[in-house]
Amino acid sequence: MTGKNKSNVTTERITDKSARRDKQQEDSTAVRERKQTPADFSSISSKDLLPASGGEEMTKGFLQELVNILLDYICKSSQRSSKVLDFHHPHQLKEGLEGFSLDLPEQPETLEQILVDCRDTLKYGVNTGHPRFFNQLSSGLDVIGVAGEWLTSTANTNMFTYEVSPVFILMEEVLLRKMQSIVGWSDDEGDGIFCPGGTISNLYSILLARFYFFPEVKTRGMSHLPQLVLFSSEHSHYSVKKSAAALGMGSDNVIMVKCDERGKMIPAELESSIVAAEERGLVPFYVNATAGTTVYGAFDPLNDIADICHRHTLWMHVDAAWGGGLLMSHRHRMKLQGIERAWSVTWNPHKMMGSPLQCSAILVKKRGLLQECNELGAEYLFQTDKHYDVSYDTGDKSIQCGRHVDVFKLWLMWKAKGSEGFGSQVNKCLENAEYLYDRLQRRTDFELVFKNKPEHSNICFWYIPPSLRSLPPGADRDTRLHQVAPRIKSRMMEKGSVLIGYQPLATKVNFFRCVFSNPATQQEDIDFLLEEISRLGSDL
């Protein structure tokens, strides 16, 4: 038999085997559907579910119907024929439509209506797992992560003491040690805690830095401290200013350091800003460096910044909420060289690593500082005479009391993917960014905001409609171009085919920012994005 004939026979066998497998799946599904006739929930309410006596079967039936709704949504989330969103204006949703009402009743509604409400909530929301959702830094729908979130909600426990959350407390310790080792810290240093988002993680870093240099602030307050100032790049996240305001230092005391054209902090500008502040009688204590800026995806020169912080004895924090995921990639982790010299790091696995929201960690190099800064020793929770090692009662490290379990979904994903799997996921997202960058360079109807090859998965660009292509650069062209992205975005939302963000920045008028963090996104989705923008904006 020739090689060609062998190939044909092999292909036929694979096809036959695949057809048989599909037929078996169809048959088993049909049998399962016949056995699982949906219950009638039209006259049943929540009081008939557990813990009601005899409510086991009804509870199983209701939850099975809910799972069917969720499974249907999850399966459709990656179908490109489905919409990213079914857009309605706020007044339309508030007024109610097609049986969906936001109003809260006096009398209980039936479980049938509750299931309809669950289905409609998903229907009118945004499908962030869709391959063509490019709007935010966190996107995608990881099935293992979803499973972890379901289990977490079912367990419904709290992360303040080992006695009520033994397994999750130990998982948090394991995850934090793993992340600290990836950052580059030794086994005998490092601490941390999972927080409700990157903003709170950044707030912790400033809180800890202030306490480290001025521990009296915990009891005596800001009135007993000199006027403190902190430094962050002009491209950094707004949470730094928000945290300074919340902690009583004032947003005006955050000194914004100039960046180069790529969005990176300029070290010489940082040092001159520190010296100038000291000459004015202010007290510098903290520098925030960014690893992956929100808009440009830029990485500040961490080693240079670390040198400056060392010379001036300043706390160095690295906001790697967006860029921390690149540490998982052997190909890209060198972009964060110097992060091991930071005293604290923010890292959001719910961004590049694809964990379901929320999942953010503050990593702290100085072990014990979190506890010392935040502990108040509430005796109804943190008794010292418990029969187990009370160092695992981690709740007093936190500024919260109740704390959601954010660790299990990430722990489960790590078990399922391994570190290598996360690295491959990151690599794919950055490959998508390079593909979009190359496509934009070849087109005359788009213009890159800056010509440099992307460091992260952020790509910033303008669409230039035909009416503007012959206009010379200047104020008139900028004024008209500023209106293009919002108008295309409006049409995009109404149509629901794709979603991408836009913004101005400094002197640059509104431009699109495409970010990749969803491993479901393929090159065909990128091609679709560009063609859709062109279709929606060609008459502007």
Side-chain angles (χ1 to χ4, degrees):
M1 186 180 289
T2 66
K4 183 177 180 181
N5 289 336
K6 283 181 181 178
S7 176
N8 290 340
V9 170
T10 303
T11 302
E12 288 171 4
R13 285 176 180 169
I14 292 172
T15 303
D16 290 344
K17 189 175 181 180
S18 178
R20 286 197 302 273
R21 186 174 64 247
D22 291 345
K23 182 68 167 59
Q24 289 170 355
Q25 289 176 346
E26 289 175 8
D27 291 344
S28 64
T29 300
V31 170
R32 194 163 59 247
E33 288 175 349
R34 285 197 296 272
K35 287 182 178 178
Q36 296 179 354
T37 304
D40 181 5
F41 295 107
S42 60
S43 59
I44 300 169
S45 66
S46 62
K47 64 180 176 57
D48 299 308
L49 303 178
L50 289 174
S53 177
E56 290 86 354
E57 289 305 313
M58 191 58 65
T59 299
K60 287 181 182 178
F62 171 72
L63 289 177
Q64 184 59 59
E65 287 302 306
L66 179 61
V67 167
N68 290 340
I69 291 171
L70 295 174
L71 290 177
D72 183 59
Y73 179 82
I74 289 170
C75 290
K76 286 182 178 177
S77 68
S78 59
Q79 295 177 2
R80 288 164 177 82
S81 58
S82 65
K83 285 186 171 185
V84 178
L85 76 158
D86 183 3
F87 179 76
H88 292 80
H89 289 279
H91 72 88
Q92 293 173 309
L93 287 175
K94 289 172 74 174
E95 290 165 2
L97 33 89
E98 298 178 352
F100 180 58
S101 174
L102 294 171
D103 293 337
L104 297 173
E106 293 299 322
Q107 299 300 319
E109 294 186 340
T110 66
L111 293 184
E112 181 178 59
Q113 182 60 48
I114 298 303
L115 290 169
V116 169
D117 289 340
C118 289
R119 191 177 290 109
D120 287 347
T121 297
L122 293 172
K123 176 183 177 182
Y124 297 123
V126 177
N127 183 359
T128 60
H130 197 287
R132 293 171 180 170
F133 176 83
F134 306 103
N135 211 68
Q136 257 71 48
L137 304 184
S138 52
S139 65
L141 184 62
D142 189 277
V143 174
I144 300 297
V146 169
E149 194 65 72
W150 286 356
L151 186 146
T152 296
S153 296
T154 302
N156 193 32
T157 193
N158 209 313
M159 286 290 286
F160 40 46
T161 62
Y162 180 84
E163 67 184 89
V164 298
S165 194
V167 181
F168 296 138
I169 289 284
L170 295 180
M171 285 176 176
E172 182 172 51
E173 180 186 54
V174 168
L175 278 168
L176 289 168
R177 285 189 179 276
K178 185 72 171 178
M179 294 168 77
Q180 289 156 11
S181 70
I182 291 170
V183 166
W185 295 344
S186 62
D187 291 339
D188 61 346
E189 60 186 357
D191 202 347
I193 200 165
F194 278 78
C195 308
T199 291
I200 302 301
S201 294
N202 285 342
L203 184 147
Y204 268 106
S205 71
I206 300 173
L207 178 73
L208 291 168
R210 184 179 64 177
F211 177 79
Y212 176 76
F213 290 113
F214 304 97
E216 65 273 21
V217 71
K218 181 175 178 179
T219 53
R220 303 185 71 188
M222 283 295 295
S223 62
H224 291 270
L225 269 60
Q227 188 172 350
L228 304 180
V229 289
L230 52 156
F231 304 83
S232 194
S233 88
E234 58 188 2
H235 282 244
S236 63
H237 195 261
Y238 70 92
S239 59
V240 177
K241 278 195 169 186
K242 180 171 281 193
S243 297
L247 292 171
M249 289 178 282
S251 59
D252 285 349
N253 288 311
V254 179
I255 297 174
M256 309 307 289
V257 181
K258 290 180 181 178
C259 295
D260 62 20
E261 70 283 351
R262 184 62 185 80
K264 298 171 179 287
M265 183 191 288
I266 302 171
E269 291 287 343
L270 171 63
E271 186 138 38
S272 64
S273 296
I274 293 168
V275 171
E278 290 172 337
E279 289 173 349
R280 289 161 49 204
L282 306 175
V283 179
F285 76 106
Y286 169 102
V287 175
N288 171 65
T290 308
T293 58
T294 306
V295 180
Y296 281 3
F299 290 80
D300 287 343
L302 302 183
N303 269 317
D304 292 341
I305 293 170
D307 289 341
I308 294 169
C309 289
H310 179 73
R311 281 198 294 274
H312 293 271
T313 317
L314 304 179
W315 182 288
M316 177 185 174
H317 174 67
V318 175
D319 178 2
W322 176 221
L326 272 63
L327 292 168
M328 304 302 297
S329 165
H330 295 299
R331 189 185 306 169
H332 296 287
R333 65 169 292 122
M334 80 303 188
K335 296 172 183 176
L336 293 93
Q337 282 183 342
I339 193 171
E340 72 281 355
R341 300 176 64 186
W343 290 7
S344 58
V345 173
T346 290
W347 183 350
N348 284 9
H350 67 233
K351 293 194 169 98
M352 281 304 289
M353 293 173 73
S355 170
L357 287 162
Q358 62 196 31
C359 193
S360 174
I362 175 68
L363 308 177
V364 186
K365 200 168 194 177
K366 299 179 183 302
R367 186 170 294 176
L369 190 63
L370 264 170
Q371 184 84 14
E372 190 180 352
C373 177
N374 295 315
E375 69 177 338
L376 284 175
E379 293 180 347
Y380 74 95
L381 273 180
F382 308 117
Q383 305 92 341
T384 58
D385 54 358
K386 293 178 180 179
H387 72 288
Y388 59 82
D389 183 353
V390 295
S391 68
Y392 287 98
D393 286 354
T394 57
D396 233 6
K397 289 182 180 181
S398 171
I399 56 176
Q400 303 167 249
C401 178
R403 191 161 62 93
H404 185 259
V405 176
D406 293 328
V407 296
F408 180 68
K409 57 200 169 192
L410 178 59
W411 180 87
L412 203 65
M413 288 172 65
W414 215 309
K415 296 277 279 191
K417 295 174 186 286
S419 300
E420 289 185 0
F422 279 125
S424 298
Q425 189 170 305
V426 168
N427 290 343
K428 181 180 178 182
C429 289
L430 270 71
E431 286 165 9
N432 280 337
E434 290 180 12
Y435 177 79
L436 174 56
Y437 173 77
D438 290 340
R439 295 285 294 165
L440 288 168
Q441 282 192 310
R442 295 190 180 102
R443 296 188 58 144
T444 58
D445 51 346
F446 290 89
E447 186 178 315
L448 287 157
V449 171
F450 49 84
K451 304 301 181 184
N452 312 62
K453 189 175 181 180
E455 286 189 298
H456 205 336
S457 75
N458 309 47
I459 306 292
C460 301
F461 59 92
W462 290 283
Y463 170 69
I464 313 297
S467 64
L468 300 185
R469 289 174 199 167
S470 60
L471 286 182
D476 180 49
R477 183 181 186 270
D478 284 349
T479 299
R480 294 170 64 178
L481 183 59
H482 187 65
Q483 301 171 31
V484 170
R487 293 177 68 181
I488 292 176
K489 178 69 176 280
S490 173
R491 294 175 178 182
M492 188 181 286
M493 293 181 70
E494 293 283 355
K495 188 175 179 182
S497 56
V498 66
L499 208 59
I500 182 175
Y502 73 87
Q503 68 283 304
L505 186 64
T507 60
K508 293 179 170 60
V509 299
N510 281 324
F511 55 86
F512 290 110
R513 179 203 63 167
C514 187
V515 286
F516 297 95
S517 59
N518 185 355
T521 300
Q522 304 294 338
Q523 290 182 0
E524 65 179 280
D525 302 306
I526 299 168
D527 292 334
F528 178 87
L529 169 69
L530 295 182
E531 293 304 322
E532 189 73 340
I533 289 174
S534 181
R535 277 192 294 270
L536 295 173
S538 60
D539 64 336
L540 296 178

